[in-house]
Amino acid sequence: MITFSRMFPVDNDIAGNTLYALHYEQYAYDPTGNPLHHEVGEWLWDPATKTVVRIAAVPRGQAVLAGGVATLNGDGSTVLTVEAQRGNDSFGILNTPAALAAAPAVRYQSVFTLDKSGALLTYVDTTTLALVQQGNAPFTHVNADCLHKQTQPTGGTLVPLKCPYLPTLCTTTATRDDDDVDDAAGTQ
């Protein structure tokens, strides 16, 4: 489940600009309903620099500040693409000492696509970890889903979807993806 809520405009007195913020909270479950993941964060829009920013805190002891662009497609959909890399001073990734010792996140990309109606959201979050016990071999974790906007949570009711953006990943329901089970509850 991802819940979005608008925040007030954020006046950044130091930089002299105004940011527009959307707070989110995401819960992901495995196919049997057991919780896998809880994440909180914000999406920010800086109209002065035309930059999209995603701030995310994940329970593996990692935090991401990713930046990128918003694109309006010919079909009316909006695509938000943000990236971060470990060691980057602007858009970077932080890991706890335990995460650094085992599998630090080294690269992150998030692509959110919102259809023209605003009712269908698809996302692909790709995190690359360096597996320390395997000589820092890269491991790529992909979390992707198609979610249908609901003004009220439906208690897990499955909503069949045809996803134009991720046809190989999202062809069954709004509450199932390759590695997580999500419901969508959103407000505008």
Side-chain angles (χ1 to χ4, degrees), residues 39-65:
E39 178 180 314
V40 295
E42 293 179 4
W43 282 92
L44 303 174
W45 168 245
D46 182 350
T49 63
K50 304 218 181 306
T51 303
V52 176
V53 177
R54 183 173 180 186
I55 303 167
V58 295
R60 292 180 300 275
Q62 293 154 332
V64 175
L65 178 64

Side-chain angles (χ1 to χ4, degrees), residues 21-97:
L22 186 65
H23 174 79
Y24 75 91
E25 187 168 11
Q26 179 178 3
Y27 292 90
Y29 303 89
D30 72 16
T32 64
N34 293 317
L36 287 175
H37 180 91
H38 174 249
E39 178 180 314
V40 295
E42 293 179 4
W43 282 92
L44 303 174
W45 168 245
D46 182 350
T49 63
K50 304 218 181 306
T51 303
V52 176
V53 177
R54 183 173 180 186
I55 303 167
V58 295
R60 292 180 300 275
Q62 293 154 332
V64 175
L65 178 64
V69 297
T71 305
L72 182 61
N73 289 336
D75 64 0
S77 64
T78 301
V79 180
L80 308 177
T81 304
V82 294
E83 297 183 349
Q85 289 194 359
R86 184 173 163 213
N88 186 315
D89 289 338
S90 295
F91 297 117
I93 303 168
L94 294 176
N95 296 276
T96 63

Side-chain angles (χ1 to χ4, degrees), residues 99-176:
L100 282 173
V106 296
R107 186 172 187 285
Y108 175 82
Q109 181 184 53
S110 180
V111 180
F112 268 55
T113 302
L114 186 64
D115 77 339
K116 182 179 181 177
S117 73
L120 179 66
L121 172 71
T122 62
Y123 68 88
V124 179
D125 289 338
T126 305
T127 304
T128 303
L129 305 171
L131 302 178
V132 173
Q133 290 187 353
Q134 296 179 15
N136 291 324
F139 173 80
T140 299
H141 171 75
V142 175
N143 180 24
D145 210 344
C146 289
L147 304 173
H148 189 269
K149 180 181 176 186
Q150 300 171 359
T151 55
Q152 297 292 324
T154 62
T157 302
L158 301 179
V159 180
L161 293 177
K162 297 278 188 212
C163 181
Y165 307 109
L166 301 171
T168 60
L169 293 175
C170 306
T171 56
T172 56
T173 68
T175 60
R176 178 136 180 122

